[in-house]
Amino acid sequence: MVYVCLMAVDPDHVLRSAAALLTRKSTATMDEVAKAAGISRATLHRHFAGRDALVRALESLGIEECRAALDTARLDEGTASEAVRRLVGAMEPAAGLLAFLYTENQLFEGEEQNAGWSLIDDRISALFRRGQLAGEFRIDLTPAWLTEALYGLMASGAWMVHSGKGAPKDFQHMIVELLLGGALRREES
Amino acid sequence: MVYVCLMAVDPDHVLRSAAALLTRKSTATMDEVAKAAGISRATLHRHFAGRDALVRALESLGIEECRAALDTARLDEGTASEAVRRLVGAMEPAAGLLAFLYTENQLFEGEEQNAGWSLIDDRISALFRRGQLAGEFRIDLTPAWLTEALYGLMASGAWMVHSGKGAPKDFQHMIVELLLGGALRREES
DNA sequence: ACCATATGAGACACCAATGTCTCATGCTGG
DNA sequence: CCAGCATGAGACATTGGTGTCTCATATGGT
C-alpha cells in the first residue's frame, strides 16, 4: 500500500512564492522564503535540500516557463516581428524570475544546467536569424546580440514595472517597440 | 607637524581593484577584495569601515564616473543621436561597475545616495527629451523608459563582452544601433 | 478508533564572513 | 640615527545563515 501525499505542500506553490520573493529581494533567507510560502523552515528544507537546491529548482522552473512561452508564441508562424511581439507577451509573467536568475547565474558560471538555457537561446536566436534571412531584420546586429538585448530589455522592463515607474500594460509595447523599431522617429509611419 | 600619508595606500587604486573584482564576482569576500588590491584585509578595513562602506564608496565612484562621462559626452552639442553615441562610448569603461551597482542597489532600496543617481537619470532623460522635441526621436517611448533601456542594454553589452561572446570593439556600435535604430531593416538606408 | 505520515516549532552545532584587536615590521621624514 | 606611523599577519569573538535533529501535533486513510 502506497501512501501518497497526505497533507502535502504544493511544491509548485512554494517555488512560485520563492520566485516572487527572490525577485524583489534576491538575498532573502531560507526563513523568509519559508514564511512567504506559508510553511515552516523545516518543511521547506524537507522539500529542497538547501539553498542551492532551491535555486536550481527555480532555474528549472524558469527554463520550463521559457520553454512554454516559446511554444505558445509559435515563433515559426507569421512574420518574425509578430513572433517577437508574441514572445515578449508570453514571457512577461516570467520576466521577474528571469531577471533574478540572470543575476544569480553568474555564480554558477560554467555549470551544468546551461544546456537548458542554450536550447532557449538557440530558439530565440533562430527567430532573429529567420527575420534576417527574410530581409525583415538588419544583418549588422548578430542574432546572439539581439537575444542578449532582449533579455536585458526584459529585465529593465521588469524592474521598471516593479519599481512603479512603468505600467504593466506598457511592458510588451515598450520592449517590442524599442527592440524592433528603436528610438529614432521614422517618416514612413 | 602633520604627517601626511607615508606609505599610503592609494584608496582610488583599491576602489578600482574592488570594482574590477566585484564586477566579475559580486559575492567576493573582503579578503578577496583585499588580495585583489594587493593589500591586507586589515588595511582594507582601515580605509573602509566595512563592506557597506566599500559598496557605498564604489557607488560614489560609479556616480562620479557617470558624471564625468556625461560631461565628456557634451550632451547638448549636435544631434541627440550623436550625443547618445558619444555617451555610450564615454560610459563604456564604467559599464561593468554600473552593472554591478545596478544589481546591488536593490538592497539599499529607498536609501539616500539615490539623489546622485537621480541627477544622472535626469540628464540622460533630458537628452532623450531633447531628441523628441527636435523631432528626432519618437514620442511614444518615454524618456524614462529610454534611459532605463540604455542601462539595460549597457549591462547586457558588458555581460556579452565579459563572457567573451562579443568583442569590446563592437560594444558601442551594438548598443547605439539597437537603441536608436532597432532591429528592423530600413529600406531608406 | 487506530495508525501512518507530514507538518510546525524549536533546539543545536556548524560554518563563513565580518569586525576588532594586538604585535612585529617595515618605511619615511626629520 | 631616531622617532613616528602605516602596514601585514594573525588571533579572537561575534554574527547571521545554514543544515540537522527531535518531539509534539494535526490530518487523512483504513
Side-chain angles (χ1 to χ4, degrees):
Chain A
M1 190 61 60
V2 178
Y3 294 83
V4 286
C5 275
L6 298 181
M7 311 155 59
V9 163
D10 183 11
D12 194 63
H13 165 252
V14 175
L15 271 184
R16 298 194 179 275
S17 302
L21 174 60
L22 291 172
T23 290
R24 297 189 305 260
K25 187 182 176 185
S26 59
T27 60
T29 69
M30 293 291 275
D31 208 80
E32 292 174 296
V33 172
K35 279 192 177 63
I39 62 177
S40 73
R41 193 168 69 95
T43 302
L44 174 61
H45 220 275
R46 283 184 189 106
H47 288 276
F48 303 97
R51 194 170 220 285
D52 288 9
L54 179 64
V55 175
R56 291 292 181 76
L58 280 174
E59 198 171 8
S60 296
L61 176 65
I63 290 176
E64 197 43 52
E65 299 219 333
C66 277
R67 195 190 316 274
L70 287 169
D71 289 340
T72 66
R74 307 184 314 281
L75 301 189
D76 296 329
E77 302 181 13
T79 67
S81 298
E82 293 166 352
V84 168
R85 175 166 272 108
R86 287 194 302 269
L87 177 60
V88 172
M91 289 182 86
E92 175 175 356
L97 175 58
L98 292 187
F100 163 70
L101 295 173
Y102 196 71
T103 64
E104 199 78 357
N105 280 23
Q106 63 187 7
L107 308 183
F108 297 140
E109 250 177 24
E111 295 276 331
E112 59 301 327
Q113 203 142 10
N114 289 22
W117 291 117
S118 292
L119 256 62
I120 294 172
D121 286 359
D122 291 347
R123 290 176 68 178
I124 300 180
S125 289
L127 168 61
F128 286 120
R129 196 170 299 110
R130 176 167 83 85
Q132 288 180 331
L133 291 177
E136 200 176 346
F137 294 163
R138 53 202 287 190
I139 59 173
D140 61 327
L141 300 177
T142 68
W145 164 239
L146 292 174
T147 302
E148 207 68 36
L150 172 60
Y151 289 148
L153 288 179
M154 287 196 48
S156 292
W159 161 255
M160 199 132 178
V161 170
H162 167 258
S163 69
K165 293 180 181 174
K169 71 174 178 58
D170 297 331
F171 182 86
Q172 185 179 13
H173 179 264
M174 289 190 313
I175 293 174
V176 174
E177 285 304 314
L178 182 59
L179 179 65
L180 296 185
L184 286 182
R185 181 176 172 192
R186 308 291 174 178
E187 297 310 328
E188 34 123 15
S189 163
Chain B
M1 189 62 62
V2 178
Y3 294 84
V4 286
C5 274
L6 297 179
M7 312 156 56
V9 163
D10 182 11
D12 194 64
H13 166 251
V14 175
L15 271 183
R16 298 194 179 275
S17 303
L21 173 60
L22 290 171
T23 290
R24 297 189 305 260
K25 187 182 177 185
S26 59
T27 61
T29 69
M30 294 292 275
D31 208 80
E32 292 173 296
V33 172
K35 279 194 177 62
I39 63 177
S40 73
R41 194 167 68 93
T43 302
L44 174 61
H45 222 275
R46 283 183 189 107
H47 288 277
F48 302 96
R51 192 170 221 283
D52 288 8
L54 179 65
V55 175
R56 291 291 181 77
L58 280 173
E59 199 171 7
S60 296
L61 176 65
I63 289 176
E64 197 44 50
E65 300 219 333
C66 277
R67 196 191 314 274
L70 287 168
D71 289 340
T72 67
R74 307 184 311 282
L75 301 189
D76 295 329
E77 301 181 13
T79 68
S81 298
E82 292 167 353
V84 167
R85 184 175 304 275
R86 287 195 302 270
L87 177 60
V88 172
M91 289 183 84
E92 175 175 356
L97 175 58
L98 292 187
F100 163 70
L101 295 173
Y102 196 73
T103 65
E104 198 79 358
N105 280 22
Q106 62 187 5
L107 308 184
F108 296 138
E109 248 178 25
E111 295 276 331
E112 58 303 326
Q113 203 141 11
N114 289 21
W117 292 117
S118 292
L119 256 62
I120 294 172
D121 286 359
D122 291 346
R123 290 178 68 178
I124 300 180
S125 289
L127 167 62
F128 286 120
R129 197 170 299 110
R130 176 168 83 86
Q132 288 179 332
L133 292 177
E136 200 176 346
F137 294 164
R138 53 201 287 191
I139 60 172
D140 62 326
L141 300 177
T142 67
W145 164 238
L146 292 174
T147 303
E148 207 68 36
L150 172 61
Y151 289 147
L153 288 178
M154 287 196 47
S156 292
W159 162 255
M160 198 129 178
V161 169
H162 167 258
S163 69
K165 293 180 181 174
K169 71 173 178 58
D170 297 330
F171 183 86
Q172 185 179 12
H173 180 263
M174 289 191 312
I175 293 173
V176 174
E177 286 303 316
L178 182 58
L179 179 64
L180 297 184
L184 286 181
R185 182 177 172 192
R186 307 291 173 175
E187 297 309 329
E188 36 124 13
S189 162

